[in-house]
């Protein structure tokens, strides 16, 4: 008899989240990862391991091989969701993403069988393309959970400490850290960190479950934020201007100005850390014009090759533009007029990164500009604008623009529009979102699985009778029976 871990569920429900300490948050921001341990009992992790080991050995659903269960991990093994209700996990995610974060519809089971080769270091793409501007601020994180003891010889995941803001390959720049640990260990990582699977030197299977999470809204502003202190375990690669500014943002403070001098030509430096830091330091020095010139200084067309991971080989194409955009974000409202002008009248790369920066600054005065940018001929610009508008306070105009973007021919634009509608439902009023119900019902049947997934979440968050009436028939049809496999087809 297959039993559900109801005791674990009851324990999770009765315990509040356990937030990260300030020191742990600082360590996460500098290193890009934090290793933690679930509070669930060893018996729970053993159950999860055994469920998937049976699948991998062909005794269950995967009799023809491991397959790619991917996004169906939770309906395949619904017990796994209890891990994400663990107070330690909820507290870690809430500390970085805020209390109302969303679990992304993409999930992955990483099996490392005996004798498998190690991977190259890579950054995960955003669903097949590297066309999105990567955030310095932690809008996106991943959790990687191991249900069995994972020693170094078993081939754990390894990360490059402090590499989350690098776009070039990190070998020789950052230090490799294997994430080895006991059953129930997990690593919270910045979405953009460089990582890889190591070689399994044993005759045992090693499993890791990867789930993605995203923030719904910027942190709330506070009058007094905690001061930044360099964590004891900071990586050798010094990106302290980024860490300090991100800490200020995460703790609800005003913009933070970096120390040190920089020159505009450093934005395109062959040393990427120099270029990244230069953006922040030029902002601190009030060099808005130099940053705007660099933002719009590359007229080359965008590269559109499809990839499932970022290999870092084109990092310099956008270097100066990207570093300028992150610097302009630090200028907050001062940079809005210049960014709005570039977003509508600049080069394609300038328009894309200007739209990104307008979202990061977070002023609703940018909404008309972003709505216009959502009609841009360049798909990169439409992607950036569709996501940027979702992190601003929702309005009827932005809602209608996002609903229009749900008909875009590019699935990435539709995805970001759907995500932004989830954020609008999380931040806005029910009255504002009721007009979105009918279009979201249509989007449930979009050919892109993530557009469909976020349309479902948006309807759930709207939560009216009409929204649930649209959602429930779709869920009834989409239901996966976790008890059906090759041994038990009925």
């Amino acid at each position: 008899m297959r039993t559900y871990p109801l005791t674990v569920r009851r324990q999770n429900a009765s315990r509040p989240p356990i937030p990260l300490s300030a020191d742990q948050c600082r360590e996460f921001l500098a290193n890009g990862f934090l290793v933690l341990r679930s509070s669930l009992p060893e018996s729970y992790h053993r159950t999860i391991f055994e469920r998937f080991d049976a699948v991998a050995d062909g005794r269950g659903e995967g009799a023809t091989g491991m397959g790619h269960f991917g996004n169906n991990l939770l309906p395949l093994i619904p017990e796994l969701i209890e891990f994400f209700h663990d107070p330690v996990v909820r507290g870690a995610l809430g500390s970085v993403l805020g209390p109302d974060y969303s679990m992304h519809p993409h999930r992955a089971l990483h099996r490392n069988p005996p004798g498998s080769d190690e991977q190259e270091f890579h950054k995960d793409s955003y669903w097949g393309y590297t066309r999105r501007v990567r955030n310095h601020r932690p809008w996106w994180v991943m959790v990687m959970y191991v249900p069995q003891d994972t020693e170094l010889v078993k081939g754990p995941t390894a990360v490059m400490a402090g590499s989350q803001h690098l776009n070039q390959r990190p070998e020789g720049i950052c230090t490799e850290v294997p994430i080895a640990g006991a059953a129930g260990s997990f690593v919270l990582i910045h979405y953009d960190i460089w990582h890889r699977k190591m070689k399994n030197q044993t005759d045992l299977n090693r499993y890791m479950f990867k789930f993605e999470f995203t923030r719904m809204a910027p942190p709330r502003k506070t009058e007094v934020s905690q001061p930044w202190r360099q964590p004891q375990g900071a990586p050798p690669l010094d990106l302290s201007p980024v860490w300090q500014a991100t800490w200020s943002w995460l703790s609800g403070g005003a913009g933070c100005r970096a120390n040190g001098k920089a020159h505009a030509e450093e934005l395109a430096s062959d040393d990427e850390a120099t270029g990244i830091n230069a953006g922040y330091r030029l902002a601190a020095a009030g060099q808005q014009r130099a940053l705007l010139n660099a933002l719009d200084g590359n007229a080359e067309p965008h590269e559109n090759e499809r990839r499932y991971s970022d290999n870092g080989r084109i990092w310099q194409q956008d270097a100066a533009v990207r570093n300028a955009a992150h610097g302009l974000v630090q200028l907050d409202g001062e940079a809005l007029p210049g960014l709005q002008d570039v977003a509508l009248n600049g080069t394609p790369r300038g328009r894309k990164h200007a739209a990104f920066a307008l979202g990061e600054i977070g002023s609703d005065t940018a909404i008309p500009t972003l709505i216009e940018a959502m009609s841009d001929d360049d798909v990169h610009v439409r992607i950036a604008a569709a996501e940027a508008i979702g992190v601003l306070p929702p309005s009827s105009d932005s809602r209608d623009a996002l609903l229009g973007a749900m008909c875009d021919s590019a699935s990435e634009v539709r995805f970001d529009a759907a995500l932004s509608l989830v954020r609008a439902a999380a931040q806005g009023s029910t009255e504002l979102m009721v007009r979105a119900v009918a279009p979201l019902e249509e989007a449930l049947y979009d050919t892109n699985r993530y557009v469909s997934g976020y349309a479902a979440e948006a309807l759930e968050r709207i939560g009216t009778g009409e929204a649930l009436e649209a959602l429930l028939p779709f869920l009834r049809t989409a239901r996966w029976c976790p008890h059906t496999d090759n041994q038990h087809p009925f």
Side-chain angles (χ1 to χ4, degrees):
M1 177 180 176
R2 175 172 171 174
T3 59
Y4 193 89
L6 292 175
T7 301
V8 167
R9 167 165 283 194
R10 287 192 289 267
Q11 289 176 344
N12 283 340
S14 65
R15 296 184 295 164
I18 301 172
L20 299 178
S21 68
D23 286 341
Q24 285 177 311
C25 285
R26 295 185 186 100
E27 182 181 343
F28 172 80
L29 293 180
N31 284 295
F33 74 97
L34 189 67
V35 181
L36 299 163
R37 180 82 182 276
S38 164
S39 67
L40 301 183
E42 189 277 334
S43 59
Y44 170 82
H45 307 298
R46 184 172 61 250
T47 295
I48 297 299
F49 175 82
E50 289 173 351
R51 295 276 190 267
F52 279 96
D53 206 39
V55 169
D57 287 345
R59 298 193 298 269
E61 183 68 24
T64 58
M66 192 59 189
H68 204 294
F69 299 112
N71 300 337
N72 289 319
L73 283 178
L74 286 182
L76 176 67
I77 307 292
E79 299 93 329
L80 184 57
I81 193 61
E82 301 307 331
F83 173 80
F84 295 102
H85 295 308
D86 176 1
V88 175
V89 180
R90 285 186 288 133
L93 288 168
S95 296
V96 174
L97 299 179
D100 197 28
Y101 56 84
S102 169
M103 178 187 282
H104 189 282
H106 174 66
R107 300 88 195 255
L109 168 62
H110 286 222
R111 181 193 182 204
N112 195 355
S116 67
D117 289 333
E118 62 188 15
Q119 290 178 314
E120 282 194 348
F121 276 100
H122 61 278
K123 285 177 181 270
D124 284 5
S125 78
Y126 289 84
W127 318 291
Y129 288 90
T130 54
R131 301 197 288 202
R132 192 182 164 282
V133 183
R134 294 183 183 269
N135 305 85
H136 285 177
R137 294 168 173 175
W139 280 95
W140 294 83
V141 301
M142 291 191 281
V143 167
M144 296 179 173
Y145 156 57
V146 292
Q148 76 285 306
D149 293 343
T150 305
E151 305 85 358
L152 182 59
V153 293
K154 204 173 286 184
T157 297
V159 299
M160 283 287 194
S163 67
Q164 66 274 19
H165 305 313
L166 292 183
N167 292 273
Q168 68 181 117
R169 297 195 63 81
E171 290 91 338
I173 302 173
C174 300
T175 302
E176 180 177 6
V177 180
I179 309 299
S185 298
F186 69 98
V187 58
L188 178 74
I189 67 172
H190 188 292
Y191 188 94
D192 296 335
I193 203 166
W194 288 86
H195 61 282
R196 68 163 179 160
K197 175 192 74 173
M198 302 184 76
K199 185 177 180 63
N200 186 350
Q201 304 173 55
T202 73
D203 58 358
L204 301 171
N205 284 321
R206 187 274 288 173
Y207 301 106
M208 181 270 284
F209 303 97
K210 183 182 75 175
F211 283 68
E212 302 172 10
F213 299 85
T214 186
R215 172 180 277 277
M216 288 288 98
R220 292 182 179 178
K221 295 292 184 183
T222 61
E223 292 186 8
V224 180
S225 62
Q226 295 190 49
W228 167 258
R229 293 194 302 271
Q230 198 94 326
Q232 285 188 333
L237 182 69
D238 186 5
L239 293 175
S240 52
V242 186
W243 306 336
Q244 185 173 356
T246 307
W247 168 259
S248 178
W249 178 80
L250 188 63
S251 58
C256 184
R257 300 297 175 89
N259 296 322
K261 296 180 180 180
H263 302 283
E265 58 269 21
E266 291 177 346
L267 292 167
S269 173
D270 289 338
D271 179 84
E272 191 174 7
T274 296
I276 293 170
N277 287 334
Y280 286 75
R281 287 173 174 153
L282 287 167
Q287 297 296 310
Q288 180 180 168
R289 177 42 53 191
L291 289 168
L292 286 169
N293 288 342
L295 180 75
D296 205 30
N298 183 351
E300 290 296 314
H302 281 119
E303 190 261 4
N304 282 303
E305 182 181 348
R306 190 171 180 87
R307 296 188 187 89
Y308 286 98
S309 62
D310 192 347
N311 57 24
R313 293 187 176 93
I314 61 169
W315 75 272
Q316 285 183 307
Q317 292 183 7
D318 275 352
V321 178
R322 182 173 55 243
N323 294 334
H326 286 294
L328 286 160
V329 169
Q330 308 313 309
L331 290 173
D332 206 41
E334 298 173 41
L336 286 173
L339 285 169
Q340 288 172 305
D341 179 58
V342 174
L344 298 181
N345 304 307
T347 63
R349 293 174 191 265
R351 299 198 304 274
K352 168 184 177 176
H353 286 79
F356 162 80
L358 288 170
E360 290 285 272
I361 290 172
S363 171
D364 57 6
T365 61
I367 288 176
T369 299
L370 291 171
I371 289 174
E372 188 170 345
M374 287 169 68
S375 300
D376 199 286
D377 290 338
D378 191 311
V379 66
H380 291 251
V381 182
R382 300 202 304 277
I383 290 167
E387 181 161 16
I389 205 167
V391 301
L392 303 180
S395 69
S396 57
D397 288 341
S398 61
R399 175 205 62 204
D400 291 346
L402 290 169
L403 291 174
M406 294 288 281
C407 299
D408 198 287
S409 60
S411 62
E412 288 170 277
V413 177
R414 300 199 306 276
F415 168 84
D416 279 299
L419 168 58
S420 288
L421 286 166
V422 174
R423 286 174 167 154
Q427 298 179 63
S429 66
T430 301
E431 182 180 6
L432 175 68
M433 296 306 295
V434 290
R435 288 188 56 184
V437 169
L440 286 168
E441 182 178 9
E442 291 186 17
L444 291 172
Y445 303 95
D446 193 281
T447 54
N448 182 281
R449 68 195 75 185
Y450 302 126
V451 175
S452 174
Y454 268 138
E457 182 172 351
L459 288 168
E460 179 190 4
R461 286 178 180 264
I462 293 170
T464 61
E466 182 187 7
L468 297 180
E469 186 177 348
L471 177 59
L472 289 175
F474 167 77
L475 296 179
R476 189 179 303 117
T477 303
R479 178 181 178 270
W480 178 313
C481 176
H483 301 288
T484 300
D485 57 31
N486 289 330
Q487 288 187 336
H488 311 95
F490 306 111

